[in-house]
Amino acid sequence: MGEGPSNTTPSEKPYGISNIKASIPIILDLEKLNYDAWRHLFQTHCKGFGVADHLEPPNEKAIAATNKEEWERIDSIVKMWMFGTISESLLQMILKKECSTFEMWQDFEVLFRSNKDAKALQLDLELRNITLGDSTIEAYLTRIKTIADLLSNIEAHVPEKNLVMYAVNGLSRKYDHVASIIRHSRPLPTFLETRSMLLLE
């Protein structure tokens, strides 16, 4: 049987990664609520390079069989991948001495999962009560879309018709005419269509 494009063994593969951001373009950040997407990309990357076992509880027998020094070297590489794909503030929060990749992986899980429900409630409340105020229409609609995207990132998807109604309900009186048209349209315009109508107004 012929060899593939490379005869590099799985344990050698991780050494070839010089730019982790090319494989994982997301920077994990508490403010962006992008943990689920980052976690999926990071896990997929580790599986592709044969080091996904470093995200699981250490198996002492497996470590002994592969040479403990080599296992620790690979573990350090996977940790460096993590360091290269998280925000500076998050790095300062979770960085500690003599910590394995698995322990850091668990810390991320606790940090982001415990905060998830409370953050979803907070964002949902903000979205329901959002008003135009002194903002421009552009900034107002961008804020609505940003909050909706943050909610989607934590698996709390907002139906598009709800977004349209939240946007219309928070408008000032000067937009009453177009707001009435949007409310009585059947079917209800999409969020992008609503945006266009309001910008034209």
Side-chain angles (χ1 to χ4, degrees), residues 24 41-53 55 78 81:
I24 306 172
L41 286 174
F42 198 93
Q43 206 165 29
T44 301
H45 180 77
C46 288
K47 284 178 181 176
F49 283 84
V51 294
D53 56 325
L55 304 180
V78 180
W81 290 349

Side-chain angles (χ1 to χ4, degrees), residues 69-133:
E69 187 177 333
E70 174 67 7
W71 189 92
E72 289 177 347
R73 190 176 294 121
I74 297 293
D75 201 62
S76 293
I77 288 173
V78 180
K79 271 200 295 185
M80 286 192 290
W81 290 349
M82 283 186 176
F83 297 155
T85 57
I86 64 177
S87 67
E88 186 178 338
S89 59
L90 189 55
L91 177 61
Q92 291 172 350
M93 196 180 299
I94 57 94
L95 191 60
K96 52 189 175 186
K97 291 182 180 179
E98 306 302 323
C99 177
S100 71
T101 297
F102 171 69
E103 289 171 321
M104 279 184 62
W105 189 248
Q106 288 295 95
D107 286 346
F108 285 134
E109 188 76 5
V110 170
L111 184 61
F112 282 89
R113 295 295 184 207
S114 62
N115 191 40
K116 194 172 178 178
D117 290 341
K119 194 65 181 176
L121 288 171
Q122 177 192 333
L123 289 169
D124 183 67
L125 185 63
E126 183 179 349
L127 194 54
R128 288 170 187 273
N129 295 307
I130 197 163
T131 57
L132 177 62

